[in-house]
Amino acid sequence: MALMTGEQYVESIRNLNLNIYMFGEKISSPVDNPILRPSLNSVKATYDLAQMPEYEDLMTVISPLTGEKINRFSHIHQSTTDLMNKVKMQRLCGQKTASCFQRCVGMDAFNAVYSTTYEIDKKYGTSYHDNFLRLLKYYQENDLTVDGAMTDPKGDRSLAPSKQADPDLYLHVVERREDGIIVRGAKAHQTGICNSHEVIVMPTIAMGPEDKDYAVAFSIPLDAEGIIMIIGRQSCDTRKLEGSEMDVGNSEFGGVEALTIFDNVFVPNDRIFLNGETEFAGMLVERFAGYHRQSYGGCKVGVGDVLIGAAAVAADYNGCAKASHVKDKLIEMTHLNETLFACGIACSAQGNATASGNYMVDLLLANVCKQNVTRYPYEIVRLAEDIAGGLMVTAPSEADLRDPKVGPYVEKYLKGVSNVSTENRLRILRLIENLSLGTAAVGYRTESMHGAGSPQAQRIMISRQGNLAMKKELAKAIAKIKE
């Protein structure tokens, strides 16, 4: 079974015995929970789209491992065309869900682990690459969703992992056994982890020899003993409990994050990809970050397409679509959004093969892409709020609109252009609110700032990759300087 349907995916998650907590209570059925279900639907969409003939070229690919058609989210990039199709696929998924669809981190982890394990084995004669290939084949054959976990809580950022007052603030090996390792710690901000079958765990920073126990990477099923997921709060999240389709803005799709605890979790030897080889921790982090910064040139752009469209609809409904300043704002939003897409495509087109054979993005351009992502969605949101108007945040609830006493007042006084219902006007404003300030703002705004590394992380990489020395030589040559 190389490709699951969306419904088969949902049932496969239902069959897992996941240890999930939210609002101080254990969630008995996360698949049916009204707060969590929209996030599951976003992942489900990646399965549904793969079944549609019109999206086959973007959503699926023939695996060089199995020879079968697989979901592109499980693919190892074989060319720059693969890298570009990845970005195009992510834009499509963003357009269809207007939310985080949660499979990008796992896909990016696959490709970073693939090339890094190859190079570790080459130096040390380990079997990490074979471990990964065996698991990857299993993931592809069963069409599994695998999350990627990199970010540790970190504690005191001025101290190395091994120097923390509490050693568990970075995930680490607490025991090495003949048959595997025991790990303890946590991974923070884990997008979509409660909707995944397995998780690939990676170190979060480059490490020195003294951090050997923290230089660890592995994969484990999410219903393994000792894994606990604590769901994070989102703005307006409890609106999903009120039964209002309109007030949530996007009633079908969403995202979700969790603090994920690894409380003395056993990892068998054949699931380990890094175990103390500290000099390769930085390589794994850098490669994953490069892929994930490329990803933002696709997923955020797709969501941006929806927000730009919503702002344009709001202008129509408000009766101001022909105003020159509104037209100009929509042009600016489009310009910013397409610039992000151009960066995602550029770093893909400039990619090169690694020693293992898979393709890596151009790291300089990938970091430029993500640096722009830390800024442009915020400006797109600002312009959307400008066009939408204050009613976006002051409108009464759907219950008021439906109320026999006050509903007629809402209907009468909140109407825009005469040929559009008040309900439709409020619906589009709630969607803008959702993307700008509500649950979807986690993925579109704050994640744009801090996901795949905060802004300074990209600036450091831009400094490293920018080749300033070469640029100096170019200037000296043109100026006829001889030293």
Side-chain angles (χ1 to χ4, degrees), residues 87-126:
V87 174
K88 294 174 184 177
M89 173 187 70
Q90 291 167 315
R91 184 172 191 171
L92 172 68
C93 292
Q95 290 170 339
K96 296 298 184 181
T97 64
S99 67
C100 177
F101 38 91
Q102 304 154 57
R103 294 186 73 180
C104 305
V105 185
M107 170 176 53
D108 295 336
F110 285 161
N111 280 275
V113 170
Y114 183 90
S115 60
T116 304
T117 53
Y118 179 89
E119 297 187 34
I120 301 172
D121 287 358
K122 187 175 180 180
K123 179 171 182 178
Y124 287 110
T126 47

Side-chain angles (χ1 to χ4, degrees), residues 44-64:
K44 177 179 178 289
T46 67
Y47 288 87
D48 290 334
L49 290 167
Q51 298 286 332
M52 299 179 185
E54 62 267 37
Y55 302 126
E56 180 179 19
D57 289 345
L58 283 186
M59 295 301 305
T60 67
V61 64
I62 300 300
S63 166

Side-chain angles (χ1 to χ4, degrees), residues 11 78 85 130 160 166 174 201 213 215 230 271 283-284 297 301 308-309 313 318 321 328 379 384 409 445 457 480:
E11 291 309 306
Q78 303 294 300
N85 281 339
D130 288 340
D166 183 343
V174 294
V201 173
D213 290 340
I230 308 171
R271 283 180 163 271
M283 176 187 289
L284 182 54
V301 176
I308 293 166
V313 172
N318 289 341
D328 189 62
E379 180 64 7
Y409 294 118
R445 289 188 53 156
K480 308 297 184 186

Side-chain angles (χ1 to χ4, degrees), residues 167-418:
D168 298 341
L169 291 175
Y170 286 78
L171 187 142
H172 62 116
V173 178
V174 294
E175 183 183 350
R176 288 183 169 88
R177 302 180 354 190
E178 190 172 318
D179 56 345
I181 57 176
I182 306 292
V183 299
R184 187 166 61 235
K187 292 293 182 178
H189 324 303
Q190 288 312 121
T191 302
I193 195 162
C194 65
N195 300 318
S196 302
H197 301 96
E198 296 211 5
V199 59
I200 289 181
V201 173
M202 300 166 284
T204 194
I205 57 173
M207 309 235 175
E210 69 279 6
D211 297 318
K212 180 178 179 179
D213 290 340
Y214 296 85
V216 60
F218 57 88
S219 179
I220 201 77
L222 279 164
D223 56 359
E225 184 177 354
I227 295 181
I228 303 168
M229 290 167 266
I230 308 171
I231 301 298
R233 291 226 58 175
Q234 297 176 332
S235 174
C236 307
D237 52 9
T238 52
R239 287 191 188 184
K240 298 173 185 176
L241 301 176
E242 297 170 1
S244 169
E245 181 182 88
M246 187 172 76
D247 287 354
V248 296
N250 184 349
S251 61
E252 185 174 359
F253 301 110
V256 69
E257 300 75 35
L259 174 65
T260 304
I261 314 301
F262 295 78
D263 187 14
N264 295 324
V265 174
F266 172 69
V267 182
N269 284 326
D270 62 1
R271 283 180 163 271
I272 297 173
F273 312 134
L274 177 72
N275 188 9
E277 295 83 6
T278 54
E279 70 269 38
F280 285 96
M283 176 187 289
L284 182 54
V285 171
E286 183 176 283
R287 290 181 178 180
F288 169 80
Y291 285 122
H292 208 45
R293 290 164 189 173
Q294 170 215 23
S295 288
Y296 280 35
C299 64
K300 304 308 176 198
V301 176
V303 178
D305 287 331
V306 177
L307 182 55
I308 293 166
V313 172
D316 291 339
Y317 290 179
N318 289 341
C320 59
K322 294 181 179 180
S324 60
H325 73 95
V326 171
K327 291 179 181 179
D328 189 62
K329 287 163 185 169
L330 290 169
I331 291 169
E332 178 65 6
M333 294 165 79
T334 301
H335 154 243
L336 294 172
N337 207 45
E338 297 302 331
T339 299
L340 298 180
F341 185 60
C343 288
I345 292 296
C347 71
S348 304
Q350 292 286 91
N352 287 287
T354 68
S356 66
N358 76 325
Y359 269 65
M360 183 71 207
V361 296
D362 181 290
L363 287 175
L364 173 60
L365 296 181
N367 280 277
V368 170
C369 178
K370 177 55 178 43
Q371 183 77 179
N372 287 337
V373 171
T374 67
R375 303 174 184 179
Y376 294 175
Y378 285 83
E379 180 64 7
I380 293 170
V381 162
R382 187 187 73 81
L383 291 169
E385 292 179 358
D386 184 350
I387 293 169
L391 189 60
M392 181 189 83
V393 291
T394 66
S397 69
E398 182 177 0
D400 291 314
L401 178 65
R402 309 295 184 208
D403 184 79
K405 174 63 177 176
V406 300
Y409 294 118
V410 175
E411 180 73 41
K412 175 181 174 68
Y413 289 109
L414 296 187
K415 195 170 187 62
V417 297
S418 60

